[in-house]
Amino acid sequence: MKYILILWVCSFVGQNQCLAPMEFPKQFDSWYECSRAAHQESVKIMSKMGFQKVNELKLGMKYNCQLVRVI
C-alpha cells in the first residue's frame, strides 16, 4: 500500500471554493511522509501565488493523503 497526495488551493472567503485538485506525482510509503510533503508543497505553492493574492482572496491549502493499493 502507498499514499498519494492530493492538494487543493481554496479561497476561504464566502463559500470556500477550491480549484481543481492537483495530484502529486510521487507516492509515499507512510501517512507521515505524505503529510509532510503536503505542507512543504503548500508553502511552495502559496509562495508562488504571492503575499497580495493570498491575502486578498484568503487562499489556503487543503490536502488528502489517499491510501492506494500498489500492484
Side-chain angles (χ1 to χ4, degrees):
M1 300 291 248
K2 297 276 187 176
Y3 289 90
I4 56 170
L5 172 58
I6 303 168
L7 293 165
W8 291 266
V9 176
C10 301
S11 173
F12 292 94
V13 174
Q15 298 190 15
N16 296 345
Q17 294 190 14
C18 299
L19 296 176
M22 298 173 277
E23 186 174 322
F24 196 72
K26 181 182 175 187
Q27 294 183 345
F28 301 92
D29 293 323
S30 69
W31 173 269
Y32 176 83
E33 292 169 323
C34 182
S35 185
R36 282 182 49 92
H39 291 281
Q40 292 166 344
E41 288 303 311
S42 294
V43 169
K44 291 177 190 176
I45 292 168
M46 289 184 71
S47 294
K48 287 181 184 176
M49 289 187 292
F51 179 86
Q52 184 174 350
K53 188 173 186 178
V54 170
N55 276 322
E56 180 182 316
L57 300 174
K58 307 264 187 297
L59 298 177
M61 303 297 296
K62 290 171 65 172
Y63 76 91
N64 183 22
C65 290
Q66 187 173 338
L67 190 60
V68 292
R69 194 174 306 235
V70 178
I71 300 173

